[in-house]
Each structure stands twice: as structure tokens, then as C-alpha cells.
Amino acid sequence: MKHFLSFSVLALVLILFIAFKHSYNGLILYTDATTTNLPLPSVTGPNMDAESADLDKDGDLDIILAREFAPNKLLFNNGNGTFFDATIGRLPQFNYDSEDIGIADFDSDNDLDIVFASEDNAVHEFYLNNGDGSFRNANDRLPTSIANSVLAQDVNNDNRPDIVLGNAGQDFILINNGDTTFTNETSTRLPPSTDVTQDMKLADIDGDNDKDLIAGNEDGNKIYINNGIGIFTDETSIRLPPSSVEETRKVTLGDIDNDSDLDIFFANVAFRPGRTHQDRLLRNDGYGNFTDVTSTNLPVDGEHTTEGIFLDIDYDNDLDLITSNIFFNRPMKVFENNGSGVFTEVTSEVLPADVIAEGIGLKSADFNKDGLMDIYLVNRRSAMQTTQTDRLLLRKDTATVGIALNNSEIPAEYTLHQNYPNPFNPITKISFVLIKNSKIKLTIFNSYGKEITTLINNELPKGSHSLNWNANGFASGIYYYRLEIENENFILTKKWFWLDRLLCSRI
């Protein structure tokens, strides 16, 4: 969709609108709330993945932990970002090798169910929500496989979440039958493969409004293009620059250069001989063809990187990068985007000192309902660690950071900023600037051009405005948001990506 901007310039004061880049000024942007907000015995263990969702329907985000050969955990939010262990009596307990988590309303009863992917014991856990955040066992509805990742998304466009398992060997696509059972349609939807898949993402990378599949593997990543009805073709050789020394643990998608398409970050490790620690960054040309920009856009890094997430940490309308690292007691790292997708490390300026762990995964969400994105760091405690726990970092009030419009300047034009974060899960912020008091309409459309919600339809004063939109209840995919100014012949549209899963891999 094109971006259209048309408005009268009569009587406008020709003064430039100056957008100030942030300055940290020695301020750390996050507070470590681990000891005050987390039940420490419950988050001290062999944790492998964390997901957040409102499981008990009380309006705040809870946390689910997948654990390696230990019972999985359910942490309920008190509403202010403090958590208690709600596992016993609510979540069935098994000592399976849980690696990854998928969350969706599989049975269409307006609550969220859970699937855990299991590796070594090959038994996947599938739990249906009773409506109050307690779960009943439905494990017998899934086939066995050695899996490191799971996706819970609609593959065949029937508005029901399906399951994609990233396996050691052939990956699976399990189609939801609508009655909490699944049909394995792998043979008709995926090409044969012997890869050891560590992570998968499902998103539109080629701009044709269907979701393609990107697989992060131990020995060669893959791109599978969707034909529009959930049948995938391996087009890796023509779309992805090859690498013979890459061992990927995590695939992360985001628009790093603000050109309205999804770029790729591969979090890489060197567990196997001959592999490189260097992470990899690939830029999308808008049609799903990628160029490797690692050497020019990403610092040289010697960490075993297990996870990367994109998040606008300085609120300058571009996506910065945060990574978790492992072996042994490694720091979480933060890399600032210069606006064009070139990253520089700024860890010491952003995080409190000593944010270290056996970092196996990251989750960003607004846990304390202040409109700011917090960070949960998953710690895979090893035999060499006896006390290390997961970490909860709460974002400080951005008013203290000094990121704002200069009030002495008068904006010269109506402006609709790119939402951030983008992709987002499940909350994103939309900002815009009005040059005078205006009657506006701010609406959201799906990829087919259907209006799905109106956020504002009112008169607002001149100046800068922003609001958060929570996409819970909407399907993941591509959306557009449009700002209309009444009586000004002004329409501006931007594109965003709503991803309902952020996945984490295993050791």
C-alpha cells in the first residue's frame, strides 16, 4: 500500500520540526526487579523459554515457563508486575524436556490454551484452559516428535490456530480440526527435510499478504514461501545468502530500516566444530530477497547468542536489538539502531550493572501496565550455577530520559510516525503530530483493506499525541493504520506487523 500525504500549506509557518535524538545522560533505562517481583524459588531452575499472556483473564500479563526435564511453571501477575507461583492445581506436572511454548485459543472458547514442544522425550504437552487460568491435559491429541520449537498460528486461513513443530528431522504442520484435534498435513504442505530446526517464524516476508516460514537450523537456515493457502516451497537458494559456518538458535524478524518490510536477525552459537559465534543480519528488499549486511551493520561478537529481540529502547522510532548469551554467566547486551539498521553496543548506558545469566531467552512485554515495555531474561541454570535466577527488568518512566518534541518548536506539517515496537506483541504505540487543533480519525485496517477498529474519532489540540493499541484478540499478520484530518484533505497510512509469538530455542 502506498503512503499518501496531501494537505494545504496555506498560512503555515515555515519552521522546521526538529526531532531530537535521545541522550541517555548517564541514566539507566531499566530497573532490576528480580528479587522484589519474582518468586525466586520458582524461577531458579533449568528454564528454557518464557511466554506472556493473560491466562486468567484479569487484564494483566502472566508468565509461562518451559523447563528442561522439570515441571513447567505458571506465574500469575498481581496486576502491578509482581508475580506468584500459581502452578500447583492449575498446570499438569510432568518431567518432560520442554523447550518452547505456543499460546493460542485452540478451541475457540475465548481463553488461551498452551502447547509445549518437547525434545528428548518427544512428548509434547497440550493443555486446554478452563477459563480461569487452570488447564486440563490433552497431550494425547498431538503426535510425538523431537522438537525444539513450536508455533501456534493459522496456517490454512480458516481462522483457527494450527501448530507448527520445528523438529530434528522433518518439521510438522498440524492443522486444527476445530474440535481440539489435529491432522498432520506435513506431507502436502512442507517439502521433505532432514534439518535440525531450532526456531521458526511465520510472517509475510515477500509482501503478498500471506505468512511465509523462516527456519533457523543447526546447519543451514531455510526460507519457505507460502502459495497463499498454507502450502510452502523451499526458496532458500534464491532468497537467502548462504553460510556454511552458521549454527542458528533463534530467528528474529523486524523492520530495522523503516522501509515497511521484515528483515532478519539470526542469533548464532558455536556449539559445533567449525561454526562461528557471529550473529547475522539480513536486509529485505521488500519482496523477500535478502542481502547479508552483517559486516557493515552489526558489531563483531564472540558470544554464543541464544536470543535476539527488537525493541525501540530509546523511543526514536527505530528498532534496537537486545540479545541473551550463554556459557558461563554472560551479559545481556543492547545494541542501538542509528535509524538505518546499523547497530552499536550501548549496554552499559541502558541496563543496570551485572545483568548476567546463562541467558537462553528473552521476552519483552508491559508487565506492570505502565505502557512501557519491560524485559524478562530466561536463565538456564547449570550445575555450575547454584543461585542464578531468571531476571525481570522494568522499564523506567521515559519522561526521565528526555525524549520528546521540543516545545519551543512549531511543527511544520502533520506527521504520522511509525509505530513502535514493530513487530509488536501485543501492545504498540502510535504517535502523530498535529499542526493545529484538528478533528481526526485514526483507524486500523487488516491486510485486505477492511477497517477493524477506530482508535480515535474526535477533535484534538495541536501538538504531539500518542496512544497504545493492544492487539489481543486479533490475528497476527500485517495491519495498516491511517490518520485522516477532517477538512484538510490529509490522509497518511503506515504499515505494521503484529506477531503473536516470540519463540525461544533450547540448548
Side-chain angles (χ1 to χ4, degrees), residues 38 43 45-51 63-68 99 101 306-307 323-326 330 332 355-364 375-381 385 388-392 502-505:
L38 294 180
V43 299
N47 299 331
M48 296 300 296
D49 186 28
E51 267 298 334
I63 293 175
I64 308 94
L65 298 177
R67 307 175 82 220
E68 189 174 42
E99 302 286 341
I101 306 167
T306 56
E307 173 87 73
T323 64
S324 60
N325 304 286
I326 203 166
R330 303 306 304 155
M332 188 167 77
V355 181
I356 58 174
E358 287 301 281
I360 193 66
L362 294 164
K363 177 67 184 179
S364 179
I375 301 172
Y376 190 94
L377 172 63
V378 183
N379 175 68
R380 180 184 179 269
R381 192 186 68 176
Q385 292 180 307
Q388 192 67 267
T389 70
D390 292 355
R391 307 290 287 271
L392 177 62
L502 294 177
L503 303 178
C504 177
S505 302

Side-chain angles (χ1 to χ4, degrees), residues 15 34 40 56 121 138 140 151 159 184 187 254 256 285 288 300 343 347 360 366 372 398 409 415 486 489 502:
I15 301 176
T34 302
L40 296 184
D56 53 1
N121 66 279
D140 59 349
L151 291 171
N159 294 316
N184 190 337
S187 62
I256 63 169
D285 68 353
V300 175
F343 293 88
T347 304
I360 193 66
D366 180 12
L372 306 174
T398 52
E409 300 293 338
T415 305
E486 190 174 283
N489 193 28
L502 294 177

Side-chain angles (χ1 to χ4, degrees), residues 52-64 76 103 110-112 129 133 472:
S52 65
D54 184 6
L55 298 176
D56 53 1
K57 302 172 71 173
D58 64 351
D60 55 42
L61 293 176
D62 309 303
I63 293 175
I64 308 94
F76 275 4
I103 302 173
N110 296 314
D111 55 40
L112 294 172
N129 197 329
N472 271 333

Side-chain angles (χ1 to χ4, degrees), residues 209-353:
N209 294 322
D210 57 39
K211 290 178 282 190
D212 310 298
L213 191 61
I214 304 93
N217 301 321
E218 287 189 0
D219 194 5
N221 300 323
K222 295 287 181 66
I223 288 179
Y224 300 101
I225 296 299
N226 193 337
N227 72 345
I229 57 174
I231 297 174
F232 297 88
T233 302
D234 185 348
E235 297 190 5
T236 305
S237 62
I238 61 174
R239 294 180 180 272
L240 189 65
S243 173
S244 61
V245 293
E246 191 170 34
E247 181 182 357
T248 294
R249 303 294 301 185
K250 181 72 176 184
V251 179
T252 305
L253 305 178
D255 182 7
I256 63 169
D257 47 5
N258 288 317
D259 62 353
S260 298
D261 56 42
L262 288 173
D263 309 298
I264 300 177
F265 172 79
F266 289 132
N268 290 332
V269 296
F271 297 162
R272 304 171 64 198
R275 298 300 183 262
T276 177
H277 294 83
Q278 182 62 50
D279 301 324
R280 200 170 178 214
L281 190 65
L282 298 115
R283 177 174 283 158
N284 194 337
D285 68 353
Y287 301 97
N289 305 301
F290 292 87
T291 300
D292 192 331
V293 295
T294 303
S295 61
T296 56
N297 292 37
L298 205 61
V300 175
D301 189 58
E303 302 284 355
H304 297 284
T305 304
T306 56
E307 173 87 73
I309 60 173
F310 287 125
L311 181 67
D312 187 2
I313 54 109
D314 49 7
Y315 288 1
D316 62 351
N317 295 315
D318 57 43
L319 291 177
D320 308 299
L321 174 66
I322 305 174
T323 64
S324 60
N325 304 286
I326 203 166
F327 294 153
F328 289 97
N329 290 328
R330 303 306 304 155
M332 188 167 77
K333 293 187 175 183
V334 181
F335 301 88
E336 181 186 35
N337 191 338
N338 72 347
S340 60
V342 178
F343 293 88
T344 303
E345 186 178 355
V346 292
T347 304
S348 62
E349 301 176 61
V350 173
L351 300 181

Side-chain angles (χ1 to χ4, degrees), residues 36 43 56 118 120 178 195 215 310 324 347 354 362 385 430 434 476-477 481:
T36 57
V43 299
D56 53 1
S118 176
D120 291 340
D195 297 327
F310 287 125
S324 60
T347 304
D354 299 324
L362 294 164
Q385 292 180 307
I430 304 170
L434 305 178
S476 65
Y481 56 105

